[in-house]
Amino acid sequence: MALIKKIRQRTGLAIGVIAVGLIFFLIGGDILSPNSTLLGGGSNDVGEIAGESISYEEYIQKIEETKFAFQQNTGRTPSENEMYSLREQAWQALIVDRVFKTQYEALGLTVTDAELVDMVQGKNIIAELRQQLVNPETGEFDRMQLVTFLQSLENAPPEQKAFWAQQERLFADSRLRIKYDNILTTAEYATTAEGKLEYRMASTVADVDHLFIPFYVISDSAVAVTDNELKSYIKKHEAKFKVSDNADLQYVSFDLNPSGEDSTLVLSEIRRLTDELRASDSDSTFVLRNSEGQNPFMVYRPGDALPQTLVNNVENIAVGETYGPFLTNRSTYITHKVTEKFDGTPRIRASHILFGTNGLDEAGKVAVRFTAQNVLTEIQNGLDFASAAAQYGQDGTAQRGGDLGWFAKEDFVTEFAEAAYAAKSTGLINNLVETEYGFHIISVTELPKSETYKIATVELELAPTDATRNDVFRRADSFAANTSNAKEFEANAKAEGYRIIQANGVEPFSRNLNNLQNAREVIRWVFNDASVGKVSPVYELDNSYVVVLLTNKSEEGTASLEQVRQEVTAQVRNEKKAAMIVEKLKGKTTLEEMKAVFSTDASLDNTSDLRLNASVLPGVGFAPRAIGAIFGLKNSGEMTKPIHEDIGIVVAKFNNMVSPPEIADYTGYQRQLVMNSSQRASYMVMMALQDLAEVKDYRYKFF
């Protein structure tokens, strides 16, 4: 599907973000994955999808495509953390390809070349392009940017042409998915009977008294729970306790913290640099050469926030003065020098509400002006500006209350800028302002300022020196070298005063061990090389060295008692408490008598407007079983049996019910049911197709 000759190839436009966005659209949801590309294990397959093996080479090719899109978007190579996400995008894209390909073929869904041309340069520009080609002044799609982009494509380099071909595939895949989802959503239907039931559930209201007895009225110590009871509960509720492959670990962490000597060295160095900066005649050159922080020399325009470490520590900032060093919350020492203060280009801050008129004739513009004037009148009469912007605004500023931030007069269209800069005070401008983009309601939030600063900054990281790192590593290495089994692990840690930390239920794709970040290599060792009782070599993490003991490894299936002991114990204990509470309630005929049994620990309340479609009972919380039982009662004064909810027992007394009258038309309720189902349909079908595809993921052996 080569549109290069039809559309022309690209140049410098950072359109790679479209690829990332489309991949997110196609796969949906959050994304997680390991972050190493080292080949491992005996097989060259990274998984199976719908019975088809996915080779390491195919997966790597998909990763490279995703990585290339990222580089085109950002202009840089992704970090390891970013590669983690890109690998998962690639894997999810492979799943989508396999899962939906047969669906598209079976339904005869296609995207023609003509359709794709229309998506890129015709009357129906796709949202991904429209969102990227935006006029910064209006926040709206700018067709001229698109025209310029398309005209520049003919002479693009080969790698950019290849990239554009990739975009074509993504555009087509995205459109196919939209067509498929539309088939699903338009197939949803709700009958009149379903609409009538929805109406009754939303409109039937009961008046009810309800007693809530929380489980904590009986102390945990009063309830004995045996392992056999816990195991029986797990067996009875196996579906609740399904687990994937996992492992239990113990580890000793040797933290890489700077020593007192390290701190002294860094402080001495930052003081030396502070003195040199104070005497320097070329501040920008000096800080660029000596600072470890980002943006060491900055121009702060009117409205820009000055460095927090400066304003928090200095009351009156003077030109030429050097302030610091200060210790930051980033474990760095920092010094600032105010190089220059001057009156720069004035900048103002304002908010607006845009009522667009692009493409409208005069009659249409008159109608838009009428609407805008009505909204302006509402604001003048007290309507909150930000709320009005969120409701009526037609550009990207609507979601932030219309805020445009700080801007210079020349940054904005003439009519708008002149109106804003003519304001003598902050607040609403009491007339509409018309520009080529439409009608604007404007509120000036900050009057023009011109005060501009140039600030030079030296920042040094407070980090362990090589000597400190070597010392910590020697201790970790000595511990690992003298520890070969679980008994020695415990004994050596105790002898050296090291703390043994538990990490249970670690899964093959985990990246962290508790709060230890980027522990992927440790976890790969656990699932590829380790056996129960084996001790690892020393692994270096971000801020520590660790030595790990594998204490247990479990395969996919039902969780063992030890894995879910705490959860199951609570469930079984609550079942026993429920029986004890019910026993205490026997013979009591009123809610007041029942409450008296438990004194102040129980609560008796009335709800006069409980609806049939509710799932929450006021004063209790999530209580669907109790609500269902309440609406099963018929006669005033009738009481439910004690009902076991998640956090206690509920007993309710039915007072009366107001049933809604029949109405002539239930289509509104039918539409609501259809809308709710349609919103879920795409996701639910994708989950079902993935389940049917029986995806098997072995990537943890490689990454």
Side-chain angles (χ1 to χ4, degrees):
M1 200 184 304
L3 290 180
I4 296 175
K5 294 182 180 179
K6 297 180 180 180
I7 304 176
R8 305 190 184 282
Q9 196 45 285
R10 59 162 294 161
T11 53
L13 181 64
I15 201 162
V17 70
I18 298 172
V20 177
L22 284 171
I23 291 171
F24 271 102
F25 166 75
L26 289 169
I27 65 177
D30 294 334
I31 53 177
L32 299 172
S33 170
N35 63 1
S36 169
T37 55
L38 296 177
L39 184 59
S43 170
N44 199 37
D45 293 337
V46 297
E48 294 180 17
I49 303 172
E52 183 179 348
S53 295
I54 307 299
S55 70
Y56 178 85
E57 290 76 17
E58 181 181 3
Y59 180 47
I60 289 296
Q61 180 179 350
K62 183 63 72 173
I63 290 173
E64 287 302 313
E65 291 177 3
T66 310
K67 179 181 176 182
F68 184 69
F70 176 92
Q71 291 171 325
Q72 289 291 309
N73 175 42
T74 64
R76 60 179 177 81
T77 301
S79 67
E80 270 305 305
N81 281 337
E82 289 163 337
M83 279 303 303
Y84 158 77
S85 293
L86 296 179
R87 291 188 192 104
E88 183 62 16
Q89 289 181 42
W91 176 249
Q92 294 295 335
L94 287 171
I95 292 175
V96 170
D97 289 345
R98 298 300 198 281
V99 165
F100 283 95
K101 183 179 179 181
T102 55
Q103 296 286 309
Y104 298 154
E105 292 175 350
L107 292 169
L109 296 180
T110 61
V111 175
T112 66
D113 283 357
E115 185 177 0
L116 194 52
V117 170
D118 184 55
M119 292 162 59
V120 175
Q121 64 176 347
K123 295 182 179 180
N124 300 290
I125 306 297
I126 59 174
E128 291 79 13
L129 277 172
R130 298 182 68 89
Q131 291 167 4
Q132 295 309 308
L133 302 172
V134 172
N135 185 304
E137 293 185 5
T138 65
E140 295 186 332
F141 169 64
D142 189 341
R143 182 171 286 274
M144 286 306 301
Q145 287 191 41
L146 176 60
V147 171
T148 302
F149 161 64
L150 295 174
Q151 289 175 345
S152 69
L153 297 180
E154 184 69 36
N155 300 317
E159 64 271 14
Q160 290 184 341
K161 292 183 178 181
F163 174 70
W164 182 249
Q166 179 185 345
Q167 305 311 301
E168 293 176 1
R169 293 195 300 273
L170 286 171
F171 295 154
D173 289 344
S174 175
R175 180 55 60 88
L176 284 171
R177 181 65 184 276
I178 289 172
K179 290 181 177 182
Y180 184 80
D181 288 349
N182 285 342
I183 290 175
L184 294 177
T185 56
T186 54
E188 293 290 340
Y189 178 73
T191 65
T192 302
E194 289 174 313
K196 185 175 182 179
L197 178 60
E198 181 71 8
Y199 163 69
R200 286 186 58 240
M201 291 184 66
S203 306
T204 302
V205 179
D207 182 299
V208 60
D209 297 327
H210 45 87
L211 174 69
F212 173 54
I213 308 167
F215 288 132
Y216 63 72
V217 300
I218 299 175
S219 67
D220 289 352
S221 60
V223 183
V225 177
T226 68
D227 281 2
N228 284 338
E229 289 173 322
L230 299 179
K231 291 175 182 177
S232 296
Y233 186 89
I234 294 172
K235 186 174 182 180
K236 184 179 178 181
H237 303 87
E238 284 186 350
K240 292 173 58 177
F241 300 106
K242 293 295 183 183
V243 294
S244 59
D245 294 343
N246 64 90
D248 297 337
L249 314 175
Q250 293 181 349
Y251 63 90
V252 173
S253 176
F254 299 82
D255 295 337
L256 282 167
N257 297 319
S259 66
E261 291 81 2
D262 297 339
S263 182
T264 299
L265 285 172
V266 175
L267 187 55
S268 175
E269 178 66 8
I270 192 69
R271 284 172 175 164
R272 181 186 68 81
L273 292 173
T274 298
D275 291 338
E276 293 183 10
L277 176 60
R278 184 178 290 111
S280 174
D281 293 327
S282 181
D283 299 341
S284 60
T285 302
F286 181 86
V287 294
L288 287 168
R289 186 172 65 245
N290 291 286
S291 180
E292 296 175 354
Q294 295 182 343
N295 304 317
F297 191 80
M298 288 283 293
V299 176
Y300 293 87
R301 301 176 300 170
D304 292 343
L306 295 177
Q308 204 64 39
T309 45
L310 183 61
V311 297
N312 285 349
N313 292 285
V314 182
E315 186 172 346
N316 296 310
I317 298 171
V319 177
E321 289 297 320
T322 302
Y323 302 101
F326 306 116
L327 182 63
T328 74
N329 57 10
R330 302 184 298 275
S331 294
T332 63
Y333 283 109
I334 195 166
T335 292
H336 304 286
K337 183 177 181 180
V338 183
T339 299
E340 189 177 353
K341 176 183 176 181
F342 59 96
D343 286 335
T345 302
R347 300 172 82 218
I348 196 173
R349 185 172 186 177
S351 298
H352 83 141
I353 305 172
L354 171 65
F355 297 82
T357 57
N358 282 344
L360 298 181
D361 57 18
E362 287 304 315
K365 290 181 180 181
V366 169
V368 171
R369 184 186 185 94
F370 180 78
T371 300
Q373 185 63 54
N374 285 342
V375 175
L376 175 59
T377 302
E378 288 185 53
I379 296 171
Q380 291 169 331
N381 291 333
L383 177 63
D384 179 68
F385 189 96
S387 299
Q391 181 176 355
Y392 298 106
Q394 297 176 7
D395 68 348
T397 68
Q399 59 189 0
R400 55 179 185 270
D403 184 29
L404 292 162
W406 291 84
F407 58 90
K409 192 171 185 179
E410 57 269 24
D411 292 339
F412 263 59
V413 64
T414 302
E415 298 87 349
F416 187 103
E418 288 182 349
Y421 273 82
K424 302 302 182 183
S425 62
T426 59
L428 184 69
I429 294 176
N430 288 311
N431 56 276
L432 297 177
V433 175
E434 184 177 3
T435 71
E436 61 189 278
Y437 301 106
F439 296 99
H440 305 257
I441 300 174
I442 303 174
S443 176
V444 176
T445 51
E446 295 279 354
L447 290 175
K449 295 180 180 180
S450 59
E451 193 174 75
T452 305
Y453 287 90
K454 290 183 179 179
I455 297 178
T457 301
V458 173
E459 186 171 11
L460 296 183
E461 181 182 1
L462 178 55
T465 61
D466 288 345
T468 298
R469 300 180 72 92
N470 290 339
D471 181 61
V472 175
F473 177 78
R474 279 194 295 270
R475 290 191 288 114
D477 190 49
S478 175
F479 177 76
N482 292 293
T483 305
S484 59
N485 54 54
K487 184 177 180 180
E488 291 178 352
F489 192 90
E490 182 177 356
N492 291 343
K494 184 177 181 180
E496 296 293 338
Y498 300 145
R499 178 189 173 200
I500 296 178
I501 304 171
Q502 302 279 345
N504 295 332
V506 177
E507 298 185 346
F509 290 103
S510 298
R511 300 185 66 207
N512 306 325
L513 288 178
N514 296 331
N515 63 338
L516 296 180
Q517 305 294 309
N518 296 323
R520 187 68 204 138
E521 287 305 305
V522 177
I523 295 163
R524 287 189 65 239
W525 170 82
V526 168
F527 287 96
N528 286 337
D529 304 324
S531 55
V532 174
K534 188 173 182 179
V535 178
S536 77
V538 178
Y539 282 99
E540 182 178 0
L541 306 185
D542 288 351
N543 297 300
S544 65
Y545 295 108
V546 295
V547 179
V548 178
L549 168 69
L550 176 59
T551 58
N552 182 61
K553 189 183 286 187
S554 302
E555 295 183 353
E556 182 179 2
T558 304
S560 67
L561 174 57
E562 291 311 312
Q563 289 176 288
V564 293
R565 176 179 289 276
Q566 185 175 0
E567 178 186 354
V568 176
T569 299
Q571 295 286 340
V572 173
R573 185 186 289 129
N574 285 346
E575 284 192 352
K576 289 192 167 188
K577 287 183 178 183
M580 296 167 69
I581 292 171
V582 171
E583 185 64 29
K584 290 176 181 289
L585 295 179
K586 284 184 177 179
K588 307 297 185 291
T589 58
T590 68
L591 296 182
E592 289 76 12
E593 289 179 349
M594 296 179 185
K595 183 180 186 305
V597 175
F598 300 98
S599 186
T600 58
D601 290 325
S603 60
L604 178 57
D605 297 295
N606 171 264
T607 299
S608 60
D609 58 350
L610 185 66
R611 297 185 182 275
L612 180 56
N613 63 355
S615 59
V616 173
L617 193 60
V620 178
F622 187 66
R625 290 186 289 271
I627 293 171
I630 288 168
F631 281 94
L633 302 176
K634 301 296 183 183
N635 303 313
S636 179
E638 192 175 355
M639 292 172 56
T640 68
K641 295 179 179 180
I643 300 164
H644 182 170
E645 292 290 0
D646 290 342
I647 58 174
I649 296 295
V650 176
V651 185
K653 184 183 74 171
F654 178 78
N655 296 324
N656 61 68
M657 182 186 299
V658 177
S659 298
E662 296 291 332
I663 58 177
D665 186 6
Y666 296 98
T667 55
Y669 293 92
Q670 290 174 257
R671 283 196 297 269
Q672 186 62 45
L673 286 170
V674 169
M675 187 189 325
N676 293 340
S677 297
S678 298
Q679 290 172 347
R680 298 191 303 267
S682 177
Y683 174 78
M684 298 302 294
V685 167
M686 181 172 179
M687 293 299 100
L689 289 172
Q690 287 197 35
D691 286 343
L692 292 172
E694 297 183 339
V695 176
K696 298 178 181 178
D697 194 345
Y698 311 134
R699 290 176 298 146
Y700 66 86
K701 298 179 180 180
F702 300 82
F703 300 91

Short mmCIF file of all heavy atoms in Angstrom, two decimals, residues 61 100 110 149 240 299 421 424 449 465 490 497 499-500 530 533 566 603 609 636 647:
data_model
loop_
_atom_site.label_atom_id
_atom_site.label_comp_id
_atom_site.label_asym_id
_atom_site.label_seq_id
_atom_site.Cartn_x
_atom_site.Cartn_y
_atom_site.Cartn_z
N GLN A 61 12.31 -7.46 15.38
CA GLN A 61 11.97 -6.59 14.26
C GLN A 61 10.83 -5.64 14.65
O GLN A 61 10.86 -4.44 14.33
CB GLN A 61 11.55 -7.42 13.05
CG GLN A 61 11.18 -6.57 11.83
CD GLN A 61 10.78 -7.41 10.63
OE1 GLN A 61 10.95 -8.63 10.64
NE2 GLN A 61 10.25 -6.78 9.61
N PHE A 100 -6.64 -10.16 15.49
CA PHE A 100 -7.67 -9.50 14.68
C PHE A 100 -7.56 -9.78 13.19
O PHE A 100 -8.51 -9.54 12.45
CB PHE A 100 -7.62 -7.99 14.92
CG PHE A 100 -8.23 -7.58 16.22
CD1 PHE A 100 -7.45 -7.41 17.34
CD2 PHE A 100 -9.59 -7.40 16.32
CE1 PHE A 100 -8.02 -7.05 18.55
CE2 PHE A 100 -10.18 -7.03 17.53
CZ PHE A 100 -9.38 -6.86 18.65
N THR A 110 -11.56 -4.07 4.63
CA THR A 110 -10.36 -3.60 3.94
C THR A 110 -10.28 -2.07 4.06
O THR A 110 -11.25 -1.41 4.40
CB THR A 110 -10.37 -3.98 2.45
OG1 THR A 110 -11.51 -3.37 1.83
CG2 THR A 110 -10.40 -5.48 2.26
N PHE A 149 3.92 20.11 4.93
CA PHE A 149 4.47 18.78 5.21
C PHE A 149 4.37 17.86 3.99
O PHE A 149 5.35 17.24 3.57
CB PHE A 149 3.72 18.19 6.40
CG PHE A 149 3.86 16.70 6.53
CD1 PHE A 149 5.08 16.11 6.77
CD2 PHE A 149 2.74 15.89 6.42
CE1 PHE A 149 5.19 14.73 6.90
CE2 PHE A 149 2.84 14.53 6.53
CZ PHE A 149 4.07 13.94 6.78
N LYS A 240 -10.85 -17.99 42.77
CA LYS A 240 -10.42 -16.74 43.38
C LYS A 240 -8.93 -16.70 43.63
O LYS A 240 -8.36 -15.62 43.87
CB LYS A 240 -11.15 -16.52 44.72
CG LYS A 240 -12.63 -16.27 44.61
CD LYS A 240 -13.28 -16.24 45.98
CE LYS A 240 -12.68 -15.20 46.90
NZ LYS A 240 -13.38 -15.14 48.21
N VAL A 299 17.40 31.87 31.07
CA VAL A 299 16.75 33.17 31.03
C VAL A 299 15.32 32.96 31.52
O VAL A 299 14.57 32.16 30.95
CB VAL A 299 16.76 33.77 29.62
CG1 VAL A 299 15.98 35.08 29.61
CG2 VAL A 299 18.17 33.97 29.12
N TYR A 421 -3.91 43.44 26.08
CA TYR A 421 -2.92 44.41 26.57
C TYR A 421 -3.53 45.77 26.87
O TYR A 421 -2.92 46.61 27.55
CB TYR A 421 -1.77 44.54 25.58
CG TYR A 421 -0.68 43.51 25.80
CD1 TYR A 421 -0.82 42.22 25.29
CD2 TYR A 421 0.45 43.80 26.53
CE1 TYR A 421 0.16 41.26 25.50
CE2 TYR A 421 1.43 42.86 26.75
CZ TYR A 421 1.28 41.58 26.23
OH TYR A 421 2.25 40.63 26.47
N LYS A 424 -6.70 47.51 31.89
CA LYS A 424 -6.05 48.28 32.95
C LYS A 424 -6.03 47.54 34.28
O LYS A 424 -5.34 47.94 35.22
CB LYS A 424 -6.77 49.63 33.14
CG LYS A 424 -6.83 50.49 31.88
CD LYS A 424 -5.42 50.80 31.35
CE LYS A 424 -5.49 51.71 30.12
NZ LYS A 424 -4.14 51.97 29.55
N LYS A 449 4.08 42.10 32.62
CA LYS A 449 5.31 42.21 33.39
C LYS A 449 6.48 42.13 32.42
O LYS A 449 6.40 41.46 31.39
CB LYS A 449 5.42 41.09 34.43
CG LYS A 449 4.36 41.13 35.53
CD LYS A 449 4.55 39.99 36.52
CE LYS A 449 3.50 40.05 37.62
NZ LYS A 449 3.67 38.93 38.59
N THR A 465 31.28 7.90 46.12
CA THR A 465 32.49 7.89 45.30
C THR A 465 32.85 6.46 44.93
O THR A 465 32.28 5.50 45.46
CB THR A 465 33.65 8.54 46.05
OG1 THR A 465 33.90 7.77 47.24
CG2 THR A 465 33.34 9.98 46.42
N GLU A 490 21.09 -17.35 56.26
CA GLU A 490 20.55 -16.82 57.51
C GLU A 490 21.65 -16.60 58.55
O GLU A 490 21.70 -15.56 59.21
CB GLU A 490 19.49 -17.77 58.07
CG GLU A 490 18.84 -17.27 59.34
CD GLU A 490 17.74 -18.19 59.83
OE1 GLU A 490 17.43 -19.17 59.13
OE2 GLU A 490 17.19 -17.92 60.92
N GLY A 497 25.10 -8.81 60.96
CA GLY A 497 24.12 -7.78 61.29
C GLY A 497 23.35 -7.27 60.09
O GLY A 497 22.83 -6.15 60.12
N ARG A 499 20.18 -7.22 57.48
CA ARG A 499 18.75 -7.48 57.53
C ARG A 499 18.32 -8.32 56.33
O ARG A 499 18.64 -7.98 55.19
CB ARG A 499 17.98 -6.15 57.53
CG ARG A 499 16.47 -6.31 57.54
CD ARG A 499 15.82 -4.96 57.33
NE ARG A 499 14.38 -5.08 57.16
CZ ARG A 499 13.62 -4.17 56.60
NH1 ARG A 499 14.17 -3.05 56.13
NH2 ARG A 499 12.32 -4.35 56.49
N ILE A 500 17.61 -9.41 56.59
CA ILE A 500 17.07 -10.25 55.51
C ILE A 500 15.66 -9.77 55.19
O ILE A 500 14.81 -9.65 56.07
CB ILE A 500 17.04 -11.73 55.92
CG1 ILE A 500 18.47 -12.25 56.14
CG2 ILE A 500 16.32 -12.57 54.86
CD1 ILE A 500 18.52 -13.70 56.60
N ALA A 530 18.05 -20.24 38.63
CA ALA A 530 18.05 -20.59 40.05
C ALA A 530 17.19 -21.80 40.35
O ALA A 530 16.22 -22.09 39.65
CB ALA A 530 17.58 -19.40 40.87
N GLY A 533 16.72 -22.77 47.16
CA GLY A 533 17.85 -22.90 48.06
C GLY A 533 19.14 -22.35 47.51
O GLY A 533 20.16 -22.30 48.22
N GLN A 566 -2.74 -14.74 54.50
CA GLN A 566 -3.35 -13.58 55.15
C GLN A 566 -4.75 -13.32 54.63
O GLN A 566 -5.69 -13.10 55.40
CB GLN A 566 -2.47 -12.35 54.94
CG GLN A 566 -2.95 -11.11 55.67
CD GLN A 566 -1.98 -9.94 55.53
OE1 GLN A 566 -0.94 -10.05 54.88
NE2 GLN A 566 -2.32 -8.82 56.13
N SER A 603 -24.48 -0.08 64.24
CA SER A 603 -25.13 1.17 63.87
C SER A 603 -26.49 0.89 63.25
O SER A 603 -26.66 -0.03 62.44
CB SER A 603 -24.27 1.95 62.87
OG SER A 603 -24.05 1.20 61.70
N ASP A 609 -34.50 6.78 50.61
CA ASP A 609 -34.50 6.87 49.15
C ASP A 609 -33.56 5.85 48.52
O ASP A 609 -32.81 6.15 47.61
CB ASP A 609 -34.11 8.28 48.70
CG ASP A 609 -32.74 8.69 49.22
OD1 ASP A 609 -32.18 7.98 50.08
OD2 ASP A 609 -32.21 9.73 48.77
N SER A 636 -44.78 -3.99 54.73
CA SER A 636 -44.21 -3.04 55.67
C SER A 636 -43.96 -3.73 57.02
O SER A 636 -44.81 -4.47 57.52
CB SER A 636 -45.17 -1.86 55.87
OG SER A 636 -44.65 -0.95 56.80
N ILE A 647 -17.80 -6.74 54.98
CA ILE A 647 -17.21 -6.20 56.20
C ILE A 647 -18.11 -6.35 57.42
O ILE A 647 -17.78 -5.84 58.50
CB ILE A 647 -16.86 -4.71 56.02
CG1 ILE A 647 -18.09 -3.90 55.65
CG2 ILE A 647 -15.76 -4.54 54.99
CD1 ILE A 647 -17.85 -2.40 55.59
#
